[in-house]
Structures are given as C-alpha cells and as structure tokens.
Amino acid sequence: AKMSRLAACGGLLLLAGIEMSSAFSMTLAYGGGSLRHSASGLSTGSSRSAGSVALGGSLQTKMMATDKDCDCTIIGAGRIGSALADMGKAAGFKDVVVKRGEPIPEDGSGPIYVTVRNDDLKGVIDACPASRRDDLTFYGQNGYIEDFLAKEKLDKSTSQVLVYMAVAKMGEKPTDGITDLNPEGLTSATGKWAGQVAARLKGAGLTCQVKDTKPFQLAMFEKHMWICAFMLLGVHHGGITVGDVESKHKDDLVQMVTEMMAAIADKEGTKFEAKCPERLLAYARTVAHFPTALKEFEWRNKYFLDITRAREAKGLPDLTPMHTKFLLKARDDGHVKFD
C-alpha cells in the first residue's frame, strides 16, 4: 500500500494492503559502493543451518534455506522493517537492519527482507552483492512486480511475501489482517525463504501461508485487484474510505473485479477460485477506515490499462470497460497522470 504518506486510519497504519515504509520514500542513494554500514552487529550466523564457504578469496557464511526462524538482514527501518526486527529480537535473533546509505552485508546469512516501496526496488537490487541476490525476500510490495523481477532475472530465485497486517505506531506489535471469510489469515509467502518468513510471523502470533508459485500468483493477483479497484472506486466516488466503497458501492466493486478477473485470465491464463470478490470485500471490512487515492500508477492500474490498449491495437474489445472509464476520468480530474 499506501504508506507513501504513512496515512493512519483509525489510529492504525496499514502495512500491507496499501503502501510501503517511508524509510525509503525518496530515491535510494545506493551506488558506486559508497554505502556505509552502521547496523548494530553483523550476524555471526546464529542460524541453525549456516556453513562457511570461500567466496571471492574471503571466508563467507553461506546458509541453506530453512523452515525455522534465523538471523536475517532487513532493508528499511520504517514500520514494516522495524516490526520484523522487533519480532526477531524478541525471539533472540541478531538481525542486521540496513538503513538509507548503509550497505547490504556480503557476509550475512539468511533472508534479506526488502521492505521498501516499489520505486526503490531497483536501487536495492543493484546494491545487493551478487552472491546474496537469491536471498532477497520482497516483503509487502503492492502492485504487479513480476515483470520487473523477470527483467532483473530474479523471478525464479527470490522469495515474495503478500503481507496483511497493521501497526498502530512504530514499535507496537502488528495486528493480523485476517477476515471473516479467511480466519486462517491472508498473508502468504513463496520461494526459498517462505518457511523462514512463516516461522518468524507465526512466532509473533501472526498468520502466514506458505504457497507454491501458482497459488501464490493467484493470491498476488487478488491483492493486486483489491488495491487497484478499491482505490479507483474510492477516488471516483469523491475520495471516500475503503469501508464506504465496501458498504455503499459494493455492486460497482463486484463489477469492476469481475471484469479484472476476466482480463487477468485472458492475459495470464489464471483461473480464480470461487468468491474472489467476496474475499476482497471481506478484507476491506478489516481496513474500513483507510483512505483511498491513486498511487504508484506504474505498478498498479497501468497493468489493466496496458491490457486494454494492447487489445484495442488488435481490434479486440475492452475487457475492463468500467476500470478504463473511471481511470480516464480520474486522469481528467487530476487524480493521476499518464499519457
């Protein structure tokens, strides 16, 4: 989400359904090897599965993926990164928190949690030592990042986490974003470090489902539709809250999501499980006070506009006419910019 402004809703700052930590809200200053490191203590590998291997002429800790919690590196010291670090500290682990201007430790071990906004992902990846790129664990980014990861050649080797939790303020324990339709929780992880992610969250009393690639992609697209549809409808109806969209414009939401499902299915070959709109409405009820706005267009609604324009170029009908109509109006009204 929508943490570019770190907007609070009912005293809660949503960490996943909306935007990312402000710790990396500006362009990253990574590059040229000029990063400095002042994190409190590099991990000495208290992981249960660490071993030492020679790499580049130096002795380096190399760790196999584990289903248990372990020391890790956390990029970003905002509410998301701090929440993860607090979980690790409470469990006795020595995580390294990387703040702006600090390097990603080459001799670290365990997953590298990436808790920055989408626009800052490129800087993090470029700054990551090549030997550790497989440890990158993209945590809580909203929107469609698959093509970006594929371009960076990280789509097959890294881990991803769809995060549904809320934190009242820095340092407080996260609240799980479970719903009445999904009491088992909606947070999901996939990839090399999915088991470790689940262990850390469950150790803090939160839920996390470990999913294979295909089920995770399905969940990712549902979350993508949630952020795109609710934000656009909220703006279209005057900047109302997520809860007002759910309670007052449910029919619009169901129609828009149904159209989006068809577009995704046509492009990706994805088949959604029953009651997808109902699941999205249920999540909205858990974050009812959250405001709506159109942010990170390149990562969110542009996905559906690109499908529309590609089909139009082939003489095919628009599969998301409501989305297209409302998005163009939002542009005309100055809520979003695109050509």
Side-chain angles (χ1 to χ4, degrees):
K2 188 178 283 209
M3 300 178 188
S4 59
R5 297 293 182 274
L6 292 180
C9 96
L12 291 181
L13 180 74
L14 304 186
L15 297 185
I18 324 278
E19 270 177 48
M20 299 304 302
S21 166
S22 65
F24 283 73
S25 61
M26 298 164 34
T27 302
L28 285 176
Y30 292 148
S34 63
L35 304 176
R36 303 174 307 281
H37 181 40
S38 62
S40 57
L42 286 177
S43 166
T44 55
S46 66
S47 151
R48 285 63 169 165
S49 314
S52 295
V53 299
L55 182 60
S58 63
L59 191 66
Q60 178 168 359
T61 301
K62 185 69 177 177
M63 181 177 179
M64 301 299 291
T66 174
D67 288 339
K68 297 181 180 180
D69 202 351
C70 61
D71 294 346
C72 61
T73 301
I74 300 170
I75 301 178
R79 299 194 184 192
I80 295 178
S82 296
L84 284 169
D86 288 344
M87 295 177 205
K89 183 178 180 179
F93 295 102
K94 298 178 181 179
D95 298 335
V96 176
V97 177
V98 178
K99 301 178 182 179
R100 180 182 299 280
E102 298 175 348
I104 300 171
E106 185 171 1
D107 58 350
S109 64
I112 300 174
Y113 282 96
V114 182
T115 69
V116 305
R117 297 194 305 172
N118 296 23
D119 286 343
D120 294 328
L121 292 176
K122 175 64 174 172
V124 171
I125 293 168
D126 289 346
C128 184
S131 61
R132 299 212 60 203
R133 287 197 174 189
D134 286 356
D135 292 325
L136 290 171
T137 300
F138 298 96
Y139 189 92
Q141 286 78 23
N142 285 286
Y144 184 74
I145 67 172
E146 303 340 277
D147 288 347
F148 167 77
L149 293 180
K151 183 178 179 180
E152 297 294 323
K153 298 182 180 180
L154 295 173
D155 54 320
K156 308 256 184 229
S157 59
T158 54
S159 305
Q160 292 186 56
V161 190
L162 297 173
V163 186
Y164 293 83
M165 65 179 182
V167 170
K169 60 182 179 180
M170 184 81 77
E172 291 199 1
K173 183 178 179 180
T175 300
D176 213 335
I178 61 176
T179 72
D180 49 15
L181 285 184
N182 293 96
E184 75 281 9
L186 291 167
T187 296
S188 303
T190 193
K192 175 181 177 180
W193 291 107
Q196 187 276 342
V197 172
R200 172 149 301 196
L201 296 181
K202 290 178 180 178
L206 302 168
T207 59
C208 182
Q209 314 298 319
V210 174
K211 296 180 181 290
D212 291 334
T213 301
K214 291 297 184 182
F216 181 86
Q217 288 178 341
L218 192 66
M220 177 274 295
F221 277 121
E222 288 198 9
K223 190 161 180 273
H224 184 47
M225 289 189 292
W226 189 93
I227 197 73
C228 291
F230 270 94
M231 295 300 112
L232 179 54
L233 284 170
V235 167
H236 180 77
H237 290 291
I240 60 177
T241 64
V242 164
D244 284 338
V245 173
E246 188 274 334
S247 63
K248 299 177 181 178
H249 303 281
K250 185 177 299 184
D251 290 344
D252 283 352
L253 186 283
V254 171
Q255 180 180 339
M256 184 174 289
V257 168
T258 300
E259 292 178 356
M260 288 176 166
M261 290 168 61
I264 294 172
D266 182 75
K267 181 178 185 293
E268 312 287 349
T270 302
K271 183 178 180 180
F272 291 94
E273 297 178 357
K275 297 186 177 181
C276 175
E278 289 83 352
R279 284 191 294 277
L280 304 189
L281 289 164
Y283 180 59
R285 291 193 290 273
T286 71
V287 293
H289 292 88
F290 205 87
T292 58
L294 290 170
K295 302 291 184 179
E296 296 187 322
F297 171 77
E298 295 291 325
W299 303 94
R300 300 184 188 182
N301 297 77
K302 185 177 183 293
Y303 173 87
F304 295 103
L305 183 61
D306 284 347
I307 293 176
T308 293
R309 288 176 168 175
R311 290 179 61 84
E312 182 180 40
K314 297 177 181 178
L316 299 174
D318 187 358
L319 294 177
T320 57
M322 176 183 279
H323 175 270
T324 303
K325 178 181 177 180
F326 287 6
L327 187 63
L328 292 175
K329 185 177 187 303
R331 182 190 64 180
D332 293 343
D333 291 343
H335 296 294
V336 63
K337 294 181 180 180
F338 60 88
D339 295 330

